[in-house]
Amino acid sequence: MVSTAVIIIIAVCGVVGVFLFAFVAVRSLKRLATTSNPLPPVQPLAHHREHLVSTLPRSQTWYMTAQQLPVPQPLSSISTKSSSTTSLLTSKPSLIEASPASTSSPLRYENSLTPPSPSFHTAQPDSSTSSLGSSDPGHAPIPEDGPPPSGLPRTWSSAGTGNSARRKRPLSMSSSRSTVYSKASRNTLRGTPHGPHSRIEIILPTPLAGRQEADIEAVEVADRWTDNPSSLHLIAMAHHSPAPPTLFSFQDTDSLKDALAQFIVKAQREAIDKKGRFTIAISGGSLPKMLSGLIGLPTIRWSQWQVFYVDERVVPLDHPDSNHRACVEHLFSKVPIPSENIHTIDTNLLDDLEELADSYEKQLIQEFAQKDAARFPVFDLILLGMGPDGHTASLFPGHELLQEEDRWVAYIESSPKPPPKRITLTLPVINHAARAAFVASGKEKVDVLKTVLDEPEAGLPASKIRPAWPGHLYWFVDDSASAKVTYAKTPFKL
Ligand SMILES: O=C1O[C@H](COP(=O)(O)O)[C@@H](O)[C@H](O)[C@H]1O
């Protein structure tokens, strides 16, 4: 018989043995773990990018990592305007020496004025919410295979139809920096594939992409594309349908002017809060006099406005046909806006339309390409008019300029409406705005407004304004212009 003492001794030894074994096993495992290859560091930005890009339906794209791109250089070849003390109506030297690079602010493409419904043709605006939309731009669903919004980078849009008025540009930039430019588009940078979801394209601003001297600047822009997570917003943008426009109709032009002024003030405040500046493009024709509601408003920070013209007639700045002159008469002569913040055409180039359009494009590049790294400038607000024939800006029905996909500024030599020579922002530029607003009043617009809003398939130029998601289009009209429209009206509230 084994005594109880022996049994106790055996039990104690067994327990101690188990503990010793467990201790040794844990230590060995730990040592093994520390000598194996460490995991790569977590890269939140890469994960964010991977996640976003993986939600996109198409994957035939490529990208370069920030390390593969050349070191960004300061912008040197694009000149800037100097301050001018001359009258608002006299010609300013438009492109003078380079100034120190202005403070660069990263692209923040947010839009708190976006409405809920994603389809222009089928959906009607939801008037139950704020008439200026919600602050969440992410509610529009991603269509699986729908057509891309017009004006998006060429690789996502249908092939161009050719344009005899197209200006000649160098075909591509230097490719000496292990950078490949696709045959399909001189604006596309290709890099080494990085992973199954990392094959994104870098689309350069067209004016930069087309110029050898802008090579370095273009790559700098591309660099920010890869670094800035919000640029992915722009990629995602290509896969959303544009939102349906919001139609505000007012009893008379005075209430229209007041509401328009409030709307502009709100857009200005949001832009300045985010980026410290407000970029606006203004049309001519009847529009400037609709801006009188802005005069004397203490909430406007004129020194932070950067004003461009949606289109300009090729005439001296003090000519009665000049859109700039109309804006000065109705607004700028009555408010404290610095003259250098108003970007006029260079009247030294009135005899050379191509040069004139190029020089205006350079002004845009200077304002936008350094700060907003996108292929097209993203205006905070574009104010548009519409002619009785449905034209807007200097984009006329049936004109080949409606097919333009690359340029920021184009020219027209034979406008159906006098004067014949004009320059104009192109459709892709207008359709990249954060907000665009048409202003139309009077019974002479009644038929065309009905066609544009109720029959967009008729294809009038004004119907082609459909800012890409999450941008948004508003119509500020009076009741006489909207008398025949069946498109849903939204009560105005900020
Ligand atoms: O010629 C032009 O016409 C349109 C529309 O003008 P409107 O007088 O009918 O409002 C205008 O938006 C554009 O800027 C102008 O150059």
Side-chain angles (χ1 to χ4, degrees):
M1 277 299 281
V2 183
S3 74
T4 316
V6 171
I7 292 171
I8 290 171
I9 289 168
I10 291 173
V12 169
C13 288
V15 171
V16 169
V18 168
F19 272 114
L20 273 175
F21 177 78
F23 178 70
V24 170
V26 168
R27 287 204 57 171
S28 319
L29 281 175
K30 270 191 181 168
R31 200 169 306 134
L32 203 66
T34 52
T35 51
S36 65
N37 285 339
L39 288 170
V42 178
Q43 298 171 344
L45 174 60
H47 285 199
H48 178 72
R49 182 188 61 222
E50 296 284 327
H51 170 70
L52 264 182
V53 174
S54 70
T55 63
L56 302 180
R58 300 171 197 191
S59 62
Q60 300 305 311
T61 51
W62 305 76
Y63 93 117
M64 293 176 79
T65 65
Q67 290 73 30
Q68 288 168 311
L69 289 165
V71 176
Q73 303 288 313
L75 186 73
S76 56
S77 61
I78 297 173
S79 50
T80 66
K81 285 170 71 175
S82 69
S83 294
S84 169
T85 50
T86 54
S87 145
L88 286 169
L89 288 182
T90 57
S91 232
K92 289 183 280 186
S94 68
L95 293 168
I96 315 176
E97 340 256 89
S99 69
S102 46
T103 327
S104 127
S105 66
L107 174 67
R108 294 210 178 89
Y109 195 89
E110 295 166 41
N111 182 358
S112 65
L113 301 180
T114 313
S117 184
S119 160
F120 179 87
H121 293 286
T122 54
Q124 297 282 298
D126 177 0
S127 55
S128 63
T129 57
S130 159
S131 61
L132 295 184
S134 88
S135 62
D136 172 16
H139 37 250
I142 300 177
E144 280 302 313
D145 245 333
S150 60
L152 286 167
R154 179 156 51 185
T155 42
W156 284 316
S157 48
S158 56
T161 56
N163 179 351
S164 59
R166 192 176 290 268
R167 279 169 284 146
K168 301 260 185 315
R169 292 245 169 93
L171 279 178
S172 74
M173 300 184 287
S174 155
S175 56
S176 60
R177 293 182 172 84
S178 70
T179 300
V180 180
Y181 296 88
S182 84
K183 281 184 185 158
S185 167
R186 61 192 150 84
N187 308 333
T188 305
L189 277 173
R190 285 181 174 183
T192 315
H194 176 68
H197 301 300
S198 301
R199 298 178 171 196
I200 62 172
E201 276 179 8
I202 301 163
I203 308 294
L204 303 177
T206 298
L208 295 182
R211 291 181 181 148
Q212 296 205 346
E213 75 268 23
D215 194 348
I216 291 169
E217 290 79 7
V219 173
E220 185 185 359
V221 168
D223 194 23
R224 286 208 214 101
W225 255 81
T226 53
D227 277 352
N228 186 347
S230 57
S231 63
L232 291 155
H233 213 147
L234 292 172
I235 297 172
M237 187 171 112
H239 297 270
H240 288 73
S241 297
T246 299
L247 171 62
F248 301 126
S249 188
F250 302 88
Q251 248 184 348
D252 50 46
T253 45
D254 282 344
S255 40
L256 190 165
K257 284 179 188 173
D258 284 350
L260 182 64
Q262 289 176 45
F263 173 82
I264 295 171
V265 167
K266 179 170 178 174
Q268 171 225 240
R269 192 181 54 241
E270 289 182 0
I272 293 174
D273 285 353
K274 280 179 207 147
K275 313 175 299 183
R277 74 194 214 284
F278 177 53
T279 51
I280 180 169
I282 302 180
S283 296
S286 60
L287 188 120
K289 63 176 176 293
M290 304 302 281
L291 300 177
S292 57
L294 297 172
I295 298 166
L297 286 187
T299 41
I300 301 205
R301 288 148 72 176
W302 292 107
S303 63
Q304 279 149 297
W305 283 43
Q306 291 296 333
V307 178
F308 289 82
Y309 289 107
V310 171
D311 67 327
E312 182 56 289
R313 289 88 178 268
V314 181
V315 291
L317 297 179
D318 57 357
H319 189 281
D321 284 338
S322 162
N323 285 341
H324 171 67
R325 174 177 162 159
C327 285
V328 169
E329 274 177 15
H330 294 286
L331 181 64
F332 296 140
S333 59
K334 301 171 180 173
V335 298
I337 184 166
S339 63
E340 64 268 24
N341 292 16
I342 305 171
H343 300 269
T344 59
I345 56 170
D346 181 352
T347 51
N348 296 315
L349 300 172
L350 292 183
D351 293 334
D352 187 335
L353 284 183
E354 183 169 335
E355 281 296 317
L356 185 70
D358 271 351
S359 85
Y360 206 63
E361 198 167 75
K362 273 186 187 162
Q363 294 194 50
L364 285 169
I365 291 168
Q366 187 201 319
E367 180 58 36
F368 288 93
Q370 273 281 295
K371 299 157 189 152
D372 299 336
R375 185 169 179 248
F376 290 102
V378 177
F379 274 97
D380 296 312
L381 177 61
I382 297 187
L383 295 176
L384 297 162
M386 176 185 63
D389 60 350
H391 86 269
T392 185
S394 285
L395 302 168
F396 291 89
H399 197 276
E400 60 186 0
L401 275 189
L402 292 168
Q403 312 302 325
E404 179 57 51
E405 293 181 332
D406 291 334
R407 286 176 292 171
W408 292 10
V409 180
Y411 64 88
I412 174 169
E413 286 176 294
S414 51
S415 156
K417 175 180 173 181
K421 295 182 181 173
R422 294 144 173 260
I423 62 161
T424 182
L425 298 185
T426 58
L427 263 184
V429 170
I430 300 173
N431 279 332
H432 273 70
R435 298 176 195 92
F438 273 102
V439 181
S441 63
K443 57 181 185 318
E444 63 278 16
K445 304 278 166 80
V446 73
D447 290 322
V448 69
L449 188 62
K450 179 169 176 50
T451 308
V452 165
L453 285 172
D454 292 339
E455 300 150 40
E457 64 281 359
L460 287 178
S463 294
K464 292 180 185 293
I465 304 301
R466 302 178 65 192
W469 183 92
H472 194 61
L473 175 63
Y474 300 86
W475 281 86
F476 286 77
V477 305
D478 66 1
D479 290 347
S480 27
S482 69
K484 294 188 182 171
V485 166
T486 56
Y487 189 85
K489 294 172 186 152
T490 301
F492 180 77
K493 58 177 188 271
L494 275 181

